[in-house]
Amino acid sequence: MLVDRYGRVATDLRVSLTDRCNLRCTYCMPEEGLAWLPREDVLTDDEVVRLVRVAVERLGVREVRFTGGEPLLRRGLVDIVTRCAALTPRPELSLTTNAVGLVRVADKLAAAGLDRVNGSLDTIRHDRFETLTHRRRLDDVLAGLAAARDAGLEPVKVNAVLMRGINDDEAPELLAWALEHGYELRFIEQMPLDAQHGWSRDAMVTAAEILESLQAVFDLTPIGDVERGSAPAETWLISGGPAKVGVIASVTRPFCGSCDRTRLTAEGQVRTCLFAREESDLRGALRAGADDAELARRWEIAMAGKAAGHGIDDPGFLQPSRPMSAIGG
Ligand code: SAM
């Protein structure tokens, strides 16, 4: 098992399949993009599946979420999903995506064994979408989310980041839209993970502000901590349910104490936290001929060193050198 020194057990693996992305969300990546990882540094499909297999067969991982960068840009995605769905015990498989191009592959992903999709969408207004992402792809995203729902990749959860002065007034409108389309909306507090290092706590739209603006329009009832488990989102029932809305308050209400996640970057580095400043190299060991037992041992050692919390509030907090796109959100 992947156990840390505080007794937390990681059963949820986030696998980044690429650091590349076709959007340029201002809180993540500069408009000109970034220097992408060299191809030879990125795990091959076989290497990804091997490490997922080690995690599932030997380390107790039960859920695998593919992310990035933009995972739909990974050519072998459907094949990777197919092979991971054939593992025993079969892990739950999900995808975090900006949904651009999802309309073309949603059915194939569902047939391959993908269980669920989380889409990312911060605004339903065309002008704001372009301001936030530097791309005119809102219609593609909307079509992609609908395709995921129609393919049965449900519940389709939609993640939204609110940015002050850009879309911070849009929470109720986004929620009304999500309810109309049968999506489960979750707001994520902006985290200090942008490549530009432009994050500031004062500018961040807080969970409290988001809730206040939602409660002005919707009747929200909190779902208790017991039902929340290790989920990052705090959840509210809307008008008594069953529809829900979530807020992932990573900054103002951290949930590190119940974290059950471990992460693998596109180049095969284990990270114990989004905000970790250290990584453990599995790719090097794998390419040097390590067997499954040795890979599992290295992963366990990495997990043992997981920090108690992300430390954003510590005076000595340093933003990780890698941006979110290179870690895998
Ligand atoms: N490209 C995919 C997508 O858009 O979902 C997967 C990767 S993206 C890094 C995963 C999630 O991280 C998205 O929902 C995105 O909005 C969120 N994200 C990126 N940078 C963030 C930041 N600085 N703070 C909070 N969330 C962030």
Side-chain angles (χ1 to χ4, degrees), residues 27-28 67-70 96-98 120 159 161 188-191 193 324 329:
Y27 48 78
C28 190
T67 179
E70 176 43 53
T96 298
T97 173
N98 62 31
S120 303
N159 295 339
V161 177
I188 310 180
E189 280 182 342
Q190 189 199 354
M191 295 178 275
L193 287 168
M324 180 75 125

Side-chain angles (χ1 to χ4, degrees), residues 30-52:
E31 187 175 358
E32 64 276 15
L34 294 166
W36 310 124
L37 293 171
R39 279 201 191 285
E40 62 275 16
D41 287 359
V42 174
L43 295 178
T44 64
D45 294 358
D46 287 349
E47 288 171 334
V48 169
V49 175
R50 168 133 184 242
L51 291 177
V52 172

